[in-house]
Amino acid sequence: MLNVAADQPTGLADLRGSPKDVARWLFWVKFRGALDPDRPERLARLYPLWRGQYAMARGQRALMADEYRRWLGEAPESLLQDAYRVTFRVHLEELLLGKLTAGNWQGWMRLDGLDNLQSALSRQKGAVLLFPHAGNFMFMHAIMGLIGHTYTQYAARGMAPPEVAASHAEVFANNKWRREARAAREDNEDRLPINFISLDTPVRHLYRCLARNELVGIAFDGRIGGKWVKAPYLGRTALLSPGPYRLVASTGAALVPVFVSTPDGGPGVCTFGEPFDGKDSEALMRRFLADNVEPWLGQHPAEYGTWLAHCRERAHVDDHPFFTDYAPDDRWKAWD
């Protein structure tokens, strides 16, 4: 569990937070205990409340609309509404993470293409599950452990470093409300039968996992990493980490595309694509993006709106904005 007390500010100043910070704390900390994972129909009654989030998110909604126009050429109101429907439902369901068991997860998600995952593991070199920040991918992590796989997820965790939080307080404010919300989320993640590692874990740990024929999960569009490359993506130029593809190329592991959708009614759907491998990391990236990710997102654009807006809101924080066409300065050219 994240230690929220160590090296953190204390006193009245630490209690200051925006209404959004307090609302986040109420949602992730206080509301969690009232939910029953064995009664999906009860949670479903809350899904329509997405309309409130949609109405209040005017600034984010404007950024999301612009992102959709840059990608699709248009941003109809129905698409924006569906994106908020997806996000609100996913966040509600994430409150159940620490309560999922081998006996109740089936009420929340359906797995398609499991034969592709088994095919990947039959090679005895492990499998790298690559996925976008779309849909309820956190449930996918949980279910992999609950059905008996040894699963390691590479992800950003904890609060932003103090110097980053101080420089970008509008995005990474560090206060009691945010720290406790983050700690509650990660405490529930840590109850799952899976492993989480971050950038401070040596990459050789992932090599060992794959050598044991285990699963490694990586969000290919995540913003943590030590190296970035330009890549054509969604009709634009993105800065993406080459790490997952180099991992596949150097270990002989299978790359398995994974996508999670959030239908309007019924459980979520986690789809495992056909596995592939190769020795050329750049070719692996091109194949993954062009043949797998872009076609799926084209069919499920609402699943990606919040991530596009999230990255746009943080474009000024570091030298690797998600897309170069909204970079606030020339720092990204260090990766050109």
Side-chain angles (χ1 to χ4, degrees):
M1 176 178 174
L2 179 67
N3 182 355
V4 299
D7 300 321
Q8 300 293 354
T10 58
L12 287 177
D14 188 38
L15 297 177
R16 294 172 186 164
S18 69
K20 187 175 180 180
D21 291 338
V22 177
R24 182 185 289 113
W25 176 80
L26 289 170
F27 183 83
W28 292 108
V29 178
K30 294 300 182 181
F31 186 49
R32 186 185 301 273
L35 302 180
D36 184 350
D38 297 317
R39 301 297 298 272
E41 74 283 358
R42 291 185 178 178
L43 197 65
R45 294 171 190 160
L46 302 177
Y47 293 162
L49 295 179
W50 66 263
R51 293 180 176 86
Q53 185 181 30
Y54 173 81
M56 292 185 291
R58 294 182 179 180
Q60 185 192 61
R61 203 166 74 222
L63 291 179
M64 185 185 296
D66 188 55
E67 285 296 286
Y68 275 131
R69 282 189 289 267
R70 294 180 187 223
W71 169 20
L72 303 171
E74 60 178 353
E77 200 69 16
S78 60
L79 176 55
L80 297 176
Q81 291 173 344
D82 204 29
Y84 278 90
R85 175 194 67 79
V86 167
T87 298
F88 189 77
R89 173 175 167 176
V90 167
H91 284 167
L92 274 176
E93 292 181 355
E94 280 187 19
L95 292 173
L96 299 171
L97 271 177
K99 302 178 180 181
L100 290 181
T101 68
N104 66 22
W105 68 262
Q106 296 87 347
W108 300 97
M109 187 162 286
R110 187 181 84 235
L111 305 182
D112 286 350
L114 266 179
D115 55 332
N116 287 325
L117 183 58
Q118 298 306 323
S119 174
L121 292 174
S122 70
R123 308 177 188 197
Q124 298 297 310
K125 293 185 177 181
V128 177
L129 308 189
L130 281 193
F131 56 91
H133 278 88
N136 196 348
F137 52 87
M138 290 301 300
F139 268 27
M140 181 271 289
H141 303 338
I143 292 168
M144 290 300 95
L146 292 171
I147 65 176
H149 291 291
T150 302
Y151 182 89
T152 298
Q153 174 60 33
Y154 179 79
R157 305 190 86 200
M159 301 293 290
E163 64 276 10
V164 175
S167 300
H168 304 284
E170 75 287 357
V171 176
F172 300 116
N174 190 333
N175 55 52
K176 162 191 167 67
W177 314 106
R178 289 198 179 201
R179 289 198 307 276
E180 290 193 2
R182 170 56 61 181
R185 294 181 70 172
E186 295 187 1
D187 176 64
N188 277 267
E189 292 171 1
D190 289 340
R191 298 180 192 180
L192 300 172
I194 62 176
N195 306 305
F196 286 92
I197 66 168
S198 194
L199 189 61
D200 55 354
T201 302
V203 71
R204 64 177 176 271
H205 178 80
L206 297 180
Y207 279 75
R208 292 168 181 160
C209 293
L210 295 172
R212 294 191 294 264
N213 201 35
E214 297 173 1
L215 301 180
V216 169
I218 302 175
F220 80 91
D221 51 4
R223 309 320 297 156
I224 62 170
K227 184 175 178 60
W228 306 91
V229 297
K230 292 195 305 180
Y233 181 49
L234 303 182
R236 302 160 71 181
T237 298
L239 292 177
L240 300 175
S241 171
Y245 315 98
R246 292 179 175 178
L247 182 64
V248 169
S250 59
T251 62
L255 189 162
V256 181
V258 186
F259 305 104
V260 184
S261 59
T262 315
D264 190 3
V269 180
C270 177
T271 302
F272 299 89
E274 293 186 6
F276 58 94
D277 56 17
K279 296 297 185 182
D280 185 331
S281 60
E282 293 183 10
L284 286 169
M285 177 186 280
R286 289 194 300 270
R287 179 175 176 181
F288 174 67
L289 295 177
D291 297 347
N292 291 274
V293 181
E294 292 185 321
W296 188 87
L297 287 177
Q299 296 175 0
H300 303 86
E303 305 285 349
Y304 213 41
T306 298
W307 183 247
L308 292 174
H310 171 89
C311 292
R312 179 73 171 270
E313 290 171 326
R314 290 156 175 74
H316 62 292
V317 171
D318 50 40
D319 65 355
H320 53 276
F322 194 12
F323 291 101
T324 61
D325 58 14
Y326 56 58
D329 50 50
D330 290 337
R331 287 178 297 163
W332 71 271
K333 292 185 176 179
W335 307 108
D336 198 354

